[in-house]
């Protein structure tokens, strides 16, 4: 279905205020003799399609839909066009004869269907002539173009020829090749016998970059590479119904611990254990003052529309949230590093935004020099009572100065001793250096997010601003002790690059993950109960008997002799430090067995299990068993819950997309 009409931009902006989640974007003044195309993209049921692509054929103009399926294409020269909407797994729709007039907004809605043959549909428009009843562009008090809420448009360079493997008729422009993207190899955690390894120790991970990066791949019509899939980041992309910590802020632990046990959906003889941490939620206005340094990569590799232009739009969202007591400095690096904005009050938004608007991409990438400069700026304004943080935005393509992962890690480790924290925002495709950016964040007492859309920027920098920019606990470690009377074997799902030696748990000199205000962390274990009829046990390697140790196996009577915690499945121990502390505190939590079927587990456990299953399928994991995309969809739909922001609904659409891509790949 298509609906074309003309409405004043003033009304469109007002409508944006009523649509959630609303995000203010500061855009440039309109070009002479240009208009806009805006509307929504939905499926046959009327549900929005976030991440759908809309392009004006024969031009480099286009847009991507937000979480509500809305889009806007800015700066369209007056004239007549063909406009195409596409989404992976749906039939593309092309509309001809779309008239655009200067200072008017053309409303063009698309409804996409999901046929079996995925053929493109072309629609000839035969509507009435455009009415000249709209007014020009609305103005703010400062004279800037009116703010478009939750929407972004782009001008892209001419796309390269498509590599093989795309579904015909699904997309109208091709992403950059990804052969220069860098991902660290992941060897999945194996099952371990409790008798050989009764302890499992790891540091938390609040990053969610892997999930957003996966979405970018699927929305461009490709399955992501296996090593781009970090399952813990998939699970931690979503929030769960965890209780707030007890007691007022400043007293007691800064987070709560929640656990649940249910039958594993991919292996009925096993159990799935969910362990959740919830950081104390702090309203934005109650956050400590921020001393922020934006360190921005403006090298030549950042010139594409999904890099520096998106980066600038993303930071505008954050700037709009700053308060008078906050300060921002901006440093950039390309062939060399330099300061483009000295520390400036958050109240002076116009000055900060003007500095952002002046940035252009060009030159090589002196990343190491830029990092040193940013930390120097942060130390100049350092205040122990403030949130001192560097925000690094880049595609990770460091090619001048310190460039290897090891060199960058040492540089960041030295800098973190100053008490300045780090957040890393990744952008772009084609040469995304994911492993480098994750390493920098991990070693800099920080976090790493990948920004593929303006909606992800809003989630990371506005909705979860406290979690991204304010640390409430550092060096957070978990150690799980399994009861050998109840557990025969176990495996930690994900967290492969966060594993710690058991002795590191009590070593306060060992660095680990940090938790931000309002952030939650979820860890999943797959457990083989004692006596379970599971082929997993027979396939596990064994250790030869020791020569100099007692090798007498305990009798059944000795094994089940009542001891402390005899009725427990496992015991959770957690250590953390205050953000300015050097000594850790200990929390403990016992978990008891359960045979609760997954169908009767909480919605959160069902959904987390679906997300983990999806990650295993994308990785081609042997642990996925006979799980199919249809199984994941059923579990995700059962566990979707209230879903106020639509993130779980978007996940369901991504699973459908991945299934369609997998089927198309298998049929070739």
């Amino acid at each position: 279905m298509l609906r074309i009409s003309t409405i004043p931009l003033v009304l469109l902006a007002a409508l944006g205020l009523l649509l959630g989640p609303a995000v203010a974007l500061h855009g440039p003044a309109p070009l002479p003799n240009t208009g806009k195309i805006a509307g929504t993209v939905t499926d046959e049921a009327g549900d929005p399609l976030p991440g759908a692509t809309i392009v004006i054929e024969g031009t480099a103009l286009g847009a991507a839909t937000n979480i509500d399926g809305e889009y806007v294409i800015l700066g369209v020269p007056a004239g007549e066009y063909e406009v195409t909407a596409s989404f992976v797994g749906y039939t593309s729709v092309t509309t001809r004869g779309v008239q655009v007039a200067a200072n008017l907004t053309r409303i063009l809605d698309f409804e996409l269907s999901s046929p079996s043959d995925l053929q493109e549909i072309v629609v000839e428009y035969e509507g009435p002539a455009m009415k000249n009843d709209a007014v020009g562009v609305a103005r703010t008090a400062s004279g800037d173009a009116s703010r478009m809420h939750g929407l972004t448009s782009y001008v892209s360079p001419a796309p390269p020829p498509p590599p093989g493997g795309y579904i015909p008729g699904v997309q109208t422009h091709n992403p950059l090749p990804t052969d220069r993207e860098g991902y660290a190899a992941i060897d999945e955690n194996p099952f371990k016998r409790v008798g050989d390894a009764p302890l499992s120790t790891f540091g938390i991970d609040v990053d969610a970059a892997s999930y957003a990066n996966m979405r970018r791949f699927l929305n461009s019509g490709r399955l992501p590479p296996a090593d781009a899939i970090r399952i813990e980041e998939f699970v931690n992309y979503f929030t769960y119904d965890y209780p707030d910590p007890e007691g007022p802020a400043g007293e007691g632990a800064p987070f709560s611990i929640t656990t649940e046990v249910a039958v594993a959906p991919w292996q009925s003889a096993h159990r799935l254990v969910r362990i959740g941490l919830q950081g104390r939620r702090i309203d934005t206005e109650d956050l400590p003052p921020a001393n922020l340094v934006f360190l921005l990569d403006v090298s030549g590799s950042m010139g594409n529309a999904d890099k520096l232009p998106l980066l600038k739009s993303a930071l505008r969202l954050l700037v709009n949230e700053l308060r008078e007591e906050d300060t921002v400095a901006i440093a950039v690096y390309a062939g060399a590093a330099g300061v483009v904005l000295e520390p400036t009050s958050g109240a002076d938004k116009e000055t900060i935004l003007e500095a952002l608007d002046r940035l252009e991409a060009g030159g090589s990438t002196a990343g190491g020099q830029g990092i040193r400069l940013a930390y120097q700026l942060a130390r100049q304004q350092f205040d122990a009572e403030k949130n001192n943080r560097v925000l690094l935005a880049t595609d990770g393509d460091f090619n001048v100065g310190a460039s290897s992962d090891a060199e960058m890690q040492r540089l960041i480790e030295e800098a973190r001793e100053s008490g300045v924290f780090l957040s890393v925002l990744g952008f772009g495709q084609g040469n995304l250096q994911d492993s480098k950016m994750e390493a920098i964040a991990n070693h800099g007492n920080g976090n790493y997010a990948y920004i593929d859309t303006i909606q992800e920027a809003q989630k990371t920098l506005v909705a979860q601003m406290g979690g991204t920019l304010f640390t409430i606990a550092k060096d957070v470690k978990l150690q799980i002790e399994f009861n050998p009377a109840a557990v025969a074997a176990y495996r930690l799902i994900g967290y492969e690059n966060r594993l710690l030696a058991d002795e590191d748990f009590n070593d306060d000199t060992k660095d680990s993950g940090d938790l931000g205000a309002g952030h939650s962390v979820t860890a999943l274990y797959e457990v083989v109960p004692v006596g379970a009829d599971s082929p997993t046990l027979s396939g596990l390697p064994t250790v030869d008997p020791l020569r100099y140790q007692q090798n007498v196996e305990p009798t059944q009577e000795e094994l089940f002799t009542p001891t402390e915690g005899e009725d427990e499945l496992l015991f959770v121990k957690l250590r953390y430090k205050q953000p300015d502390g050097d000594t850790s505190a200990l929390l403990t939590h016992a978990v008891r067995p359960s045979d609760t079927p997954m169908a009767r587990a909480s919605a959160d456990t069902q959904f987390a299990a679906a997300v983990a299953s999806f990650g295993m399928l994308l990785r081609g994991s042997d642990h996925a068993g006979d799980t199919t995309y249809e199984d994941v969809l059923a579990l995700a739909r059962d566990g979707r819950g209230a879903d106020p922001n639509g993130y779980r609904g978007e996940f369901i659409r991504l699973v459908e997309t991945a299934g369609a891509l997998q089927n198309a790949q298998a049929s070739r």
Side-chain angles (χ1 to χ4, degrees), residues 61-217:
L61 297 171
T65 55
N66 67 8
I67 197 70
D68 295 315
E70 304 158 350
Y71 75 93
V72 60
I73 305 176
L74 306 174
V76 183
E80 182 177 306
Y81 298 97
E82 294 183 9
V83 183
T84 298
S86 61
F87 190 72
V88 177
Y90 289 76
T91 300
S92 296
V93 174
T94 298
T95 307
R96 293 173 176 163
V98 178
Q99 296 285 343
V100 175
N103 297 326
L104 299 180
T105 299
R106 172 69 72 191
I107 299 301
L108 180 61
D109 294 344
F110 293 90
E111 181 182 292
L112 306 186
S113 58
S114 182
S116 57
D117 58 357
L118 297 176
Q119 296 300 310
E120 185 175 83
I121 296 175
V122 177
V123 178
E124 299 283 354
Y125 174 63
E126 298 179 353
M130 181 168 54
K131 299 177 182 178
N132 292 315
D133 59 356
V135 296
V137 177
R139 298 278 175 175
T140 63
S142 64
D144 293 327
S146 65
R147 300 174 187 272
M148 304 300 296
H149 292 268
L151 307 171
T152 185
S153 65
Y154 61 79
V155 179
S156 62
Y166 291 100
I167 299 178
V170 169
Q171 63 180 45
T172 56
H173 69 290
N174 300 307
L176 296 172
T178 59
D179 54 355
R180 290 197 64 245
E181 296 192 2
Y183 300 97
I186 297 176
D187 293 324
E188 282 191 291
N189 292 325
F191 276 97
K192 295 184 177 181
R193 294 182 184 272
V194 173
D196 297 331
L199 298 176
S200 173
T201 309
F202 66 99
I204 67 164
D205 187 359
V206 299
D207 299 343
S210 179
Y211 183 88
N213 189 34
M214 169 275 298
R215 178 175 58 206
R216 183 257 300 187
F217 272 96

